[in-house]
Amino acid sequence: MSTLTFEYAVRDRAGKLVKGTLEAENQGQVVQKLKTMGYAPVSITKTNSGMNKEITLPTLGNPVKLKDLAVMARQFATMINSGLSLLRALTILADQTENKPLREALASIRADVEGGTSLSSAMAKLPKIFPPLMINMCRAGEVGGFLDTVLLQIAANYEAEVKLRGKIKSAMTYPTVVFCIAIVAVIGMLLFIVPIFAKMFTDLGGELPAPTKVLVLLSSVAKVGAPVGIVALIVFSILWQRIKHKDGVRMFVDPLKLKMPVFGTLFSKVALSRYTRNLGTMLRSGVPILQALDIVGETSGNMVLVKASRDVQESVRRGDSLSQPLTEHSVFPPMVVQMLAVGEDTGAMDTMLHKISDFYDQEVEATTEALTSLIEPLMIAVLGGIIGSMIIALYMPIFKVFDLIK
């Protein structure tokens, strides 16, 4: 880790304010040095400039994966539950974490906590690393005195989310690979194989069959269209990364996801599982319900559920039922609404939400397996049909070659 420069303001033993600069690897080392010198730190600010400034490359999305947070939360909970102090646990985590951005974030949190800041407040300074759900649950655990229990719940929640994502990725890998191979094969044949046959047919003369004419035309278009298409795809990918999280775009795209013919049901079940699991985990951790509802909508990943969550929040704020507004949103099946109503009546809302989440986790697994079983033969048939049609169109004129030679 490179050496950084910090400006500090401290008070000496006489209470006089003293300012200066120190070089260290992180803020925690500055605090230790100042305490060793007999000073009481007031403020410490990093002032990297010129040649000392560390150059960082921009990253897409969160540089810390959900799996890294799950592992960190479980290790953190184990150490706190074993009697280690908060600072000692943070030091160990910062030393052993493999993910560099998370390691640096933990070192920064340790320095803040050592300076008197609470754990949740230190996490809140790094919103790109730590999600709001994790920050608010830690805050509830600090207030209630059960931080280790909350960290275990965070770990279990994120591990379930990682498992869910893994199931979806494994189910979608095969169709995606086959689809990409089909596109590459078609473009390759149009750019390299069809032109050779077209020249041969032109040299021999004669009238080409209609399918062959279409194939030759597509080959001519591909020569011009392929480079343009590649550039357009790259530009679209860059633009999409910039605008896909904007509310206007999501309000248009997210409802369409849930209405897709084959995958709409899967997207809906994934969003419901994520929504109910996160809400149940936050309520069980002692996070106030209005604050929890404000967060879980965004964590579901779909604006339809964000809107539903806001309606529920308004209903609860007025003192009305939590489950009643959900009947106005078709994304929530009647079973979910009724189970939430029962949980609300019995005071076991968190337990009911986790039961709903477990149910939809199983539904997602069953749906992905069914989709995989259905998509695999369909993709093979489509790939075989496209390549086979192109080969037939190429070989149809060959049957007339001998007549043309004569």
Side-chain angles (χ1 to χ4, degrees):
M1 188 180 292
S2 60
T3 302
L4 306 175
T5 304
F6 294 86
E7 289 184 355
Y8 65 83
V10 297
R11 292 193 181 277
D12 58 15
R13 288 186 173 88
K16 184 180 178 181
L17 188 66
V18 180
K19 295 183 178 182
T21 60
L22 272 178
E23 290 188 353
E25 291 184 356
N26 54 56
Q27 193 171 341
Q29 288 188 0
V30 178
V31 173
Q32 290 290 350
K33 288 181 181 179
L34 292 173
K35 287 185 175 180
T36 304
M37 295 163 64
Y39 294 130
V42 176
S43 67
I44 299 171
T45 309
K46 184 170 65 175
T47 59
N48 280 349
S49 60
M51 296 300 293
N52 287 332
K53 188 170 183 179
E54 194 172 329
I55 299 174
T56 57
L57 296 175
T59 56
L60 296 176
N62 193 333
V64 179
K65 303 298 181 185
L66 206 61
K67 186 176 181 180
D68 297 323
L69 290 177
V71 173
M72 184 272 287
R74 187 162 292 281
Q75 291 175 342
F76 201 179
T78 302
M79 287 187 282
I80 295 296
N81 195 34
S82 300
L84 271 69
S85 67
L86 189 60
L87 285 174
R88 182 61 178 162
L90 287 168
T91 302
I92 295 171
L93 286 172
D95 290 340
Q96 71 180 18
T97 301
E98 296 180 0
N99 185 287
K100 184 179 178 181
L102 182 57
R103 184 169 64 246
E104 293 175 350
L106 288 168
S108 174
I109 289 173
R110 184 196 179 282
D112 288 343
V113 170
E114 193 172 24
T117 307
S118 66
L119 177 64
S120 58
S121 298
M123 285 182 171
K125 294 180 181 179
L126 302 166
K128 291 185 178 180
I129 303 293
F130 300 102
L133 181 142
M134 187 173 189
I135 295 169
N136 283 275
M137 287 180 65
C138 286
R139 183 174 290 119
E142 285 177 313
V143 173
F146 46 88
L147 182 60
D148 55 339
T149 304
V150 166
L151 288 168
L152 286 174
Q153 291 175 359
I154 292 171
N157 185 76
Y158 285 161
E159 285 165 357
E161 180 71 17
V162 170
K163 185 179 178 182
L164 182 64
R165 291 183 181 183
K167 290 176 183 176
I168 298 170
K169 286 181 180 179
S170 62
M172 295 296 106
T173 298
Y174 178 81
T176 303
V177 171
V178 173
F179 181 70
C180 293
I181 291 174
I183 293 176
V184 172
V186 169
I187 293 176
M189 290 186 69
L190 288 175
L191 291 178
F192 303 108
I193 298 177
V194 173
I196 297 174
F197 278 81
K199 185 177 183 304
M200 183 181 69
F201 297 150
T202 303
D203 293 341
L204 290 172
E207 184 72 18
L208 294 177
T212 310
K213 288 182 179 179
V214 172
L215 198 60
V216 171
L217 177 63
L218 289 174
S219 176
S220 301
V221 173
K223 289 180 181 179
V224 180
V228 175
I230 292 172
V231 173
L233 183 62
I234 294 173
V235 172
F236 174 78
S237 300
I238 295 172
L239 289 176
W240 180 248
Q241 288 294 330
R242 293 183 178 181
I243 68 173
K244 68 178 182 178
H245 295 299
K246 293 185 177 180
D247 289 346
V249 176
R250 293 182 61 193
M251 286 296 292
F252 177 77
V253 174
D254 288 353
L256 294 179
K257 287 182 182 179
L258 303 182
K259 295 177 182 177
M260 291 177 64
V262 179
F263 296 97
T265 303
L266 177 62
F267 290 146
S268 177
K269 290 176 179 178
V270 170
L272 284 171
S273 172
R274 190 176 292 157
Y275 181 88
T276 52
R277 183 191 303 112
N278 290 338
L279 182 57
T281 302
M282 294 190 78
L283 293 180
R284 181 170 291 178
S285 302
V287 178
I289 187 168
L290 288 175
Q291 190 174 352
L293 288 168
D294 191 37
I295 296 169
V296 292
E298 285 295 335
T299 60
S300 68
N302 195 289
M303 286 299 290
V304 176
L305 287 173
V306 173
K307 188 176 182 300
S309 189
R310 289 170 182 168
D311 291 346
V312 173
Q313 194 177 14
E314 289 300 319
S315 177
V316 173
R317 188 176 282 113
R318 294 192 305 265
D320 297 336
S321 167
L322 184 147
S323 57
Q324 181 58 35
L326 299 182
T327 57
E328 302 173 6
H329 299 272
S330 58
V331 69
F332 290 96
M335 181 201 76
V336 173
V337 178
Q338 292 301 321
M339 288 181 70
L340 288 178
V342 172
E344 197 172 14
D345 293 338
T346 58
M349 179 67 74
D350 56 338
T351 303
M352 199 64 73
L353 284 164
H354 279 289
K355 287 182 179 180
I356 296 171
S357 175
D358 292 340
F359 170 77
Y360 278 109
D361 281 347
Q362 295 173 1
E363 284 286 298
V364 168
E365 186 174 1
T367 303
T368 51
E369 289 177 358
L371 282 175
T372 304
S373 302
L374 175 66
I375 289 173
E376 284 183 10
L378 284 177
M379 293 296 290
I380 293 173
V382 170
L383 180 58
I386 292 173
I387 304 298
S389 300
M390 294 179 70
I391 292 173
I392 292 172
L394 286 175
Y395 277 90
M396 283 179 68
I398 294 179
F399 300 138
K400 300 181 179 180
V401 166
F402 293 108
D403 294 335
L404 293 172
I405 293 175
K406 294 177 182 178

